[in-house]
Amino acid sequence: MPHERGDFQRSCRAQSHGHRPTAKQRALAGRGDRRRLDLNQPQTSKHLRVLCDTGLVEVQPQANKRIYKLRPEPFKEIDTWLETYRRMWEEKFDQLDVYLQKLQGQMNNSISTNESEDI
């Protein structure tokens, strides 16, 4: 669960910023080279700092490099939070499916009734 409500909200905001989803996707694929992100060094540093500050990534210094790795916990927290909404929307879509099938059945009955009257 989120450590604090503010941490959770900051984590969500940090993930939603322009280049950060792309940066996370590349990091997941092991291709976190900033040149591939089409960002200059100051922009890259800023995004990585925000991701570190919110706990989405961790940094491991190696010689003159810094290796950034995604932390799974914040993403699990968000997934847990989203699960409530996921279940709700699945129920709503199931209800919509039933309603649309009912309408389709009524339309088919109406069409077949009109066709039999024409004969």
Side-chain angles (χ1 to χ4, degrees), residues 21 30 47 52 62 66 70 73 91 102 104 106 108 116:
H47 289 298
C52 273
Q62 287 185 356
R66 292 176 185 242
L70 291 173
E73 295 84 6
E91 289 174 13
K102 182 179 173 182
Q104 184 70 38
Q106 289 174 352
N108 289 340
S116 33

Side-chain angles (χ1 to χ4, degrees), residues 9-17 20 50-51 54 56:
Q9 290 173 341
R10 279 196 316 260
S11 178
C12 290
R13 277 195 306 272
Q15 293 182 67
S16 67
H17 188 279
R20 288 187 196 122
V50 170
L51 293 173
T54 57
L56 294 171

Side-chain angles (χ1 to χ4, degrees), residues 98-112:
V98 168
Y99 176 72
L100 292 174
Q101 287 176 4
K102 182 179 173 182
L103 282 179
Q104 184 70 38
Q106 289 174 352
M107 287 177 56
N108 289 340
N109 288 341
S110 175
I111 290 171
S112 64

Side-chain angles (χ1 to χ4, degrees), residues 10-106:
R10 279 196 316 260
S11 178
C12 290
R13 277 195 306 272
Q15 293 182 67
S16 67
H17 188 279
H19 287 288
R20 288 187 196 122
T22 305
K24 289 187 308 232
Q25 290 166 349
R26 291 199 184 270
L28 282 170
R31 303 183 320 257
D33 188 339
R34 73 170 174 81
R35 291 169 293 202
R36 294 183 187 175
L37 295 174
D38 196 28
L39 294 173
N40 62 34
Q41 195 278 325
Q43 289 173 313
T44 302
S45 293
K46 178 184 175 185
H47 289 298
L48 289 171
R49 187 176 336 106
V50 170
L51 293 173
C52 273
D53 290 349
T54 57
L56 294 171
V57 298
E58 60 187 33
V59 62
Q60 295 176 336
Q62 287 185 356
N64 63 343
K65 295 181 183 178
R66 292 176 185 242
I67 307 300
Y68 291 86
K69 294 184 180 181
L70 291 173
R71 294 182 59 246
E73 295 84 6
F75 297 98
K76 289 177 184 174
E77 291 172 3
I78 290 170
D79 187 57
T80 300
W81 177 77
L82 286 172
E83 184 60 32
T84 311
Y85 295 97
R86 198 175 290 127
R87 281 192 304 261
M88 177 190 70
W89 281 108
E90 285 174 0
E91 289 174 13
K92 297 288 184 190
F93 284 127
D94 288 345
Q95 291 170 0
L96 177 61
D97 190 43
V98 168
Y99 176 72
L100 292 174
Q101 287 176 4
K102 182 179 173 182
L103 282 179
Q104 184 70 38
Q106 289 174 352

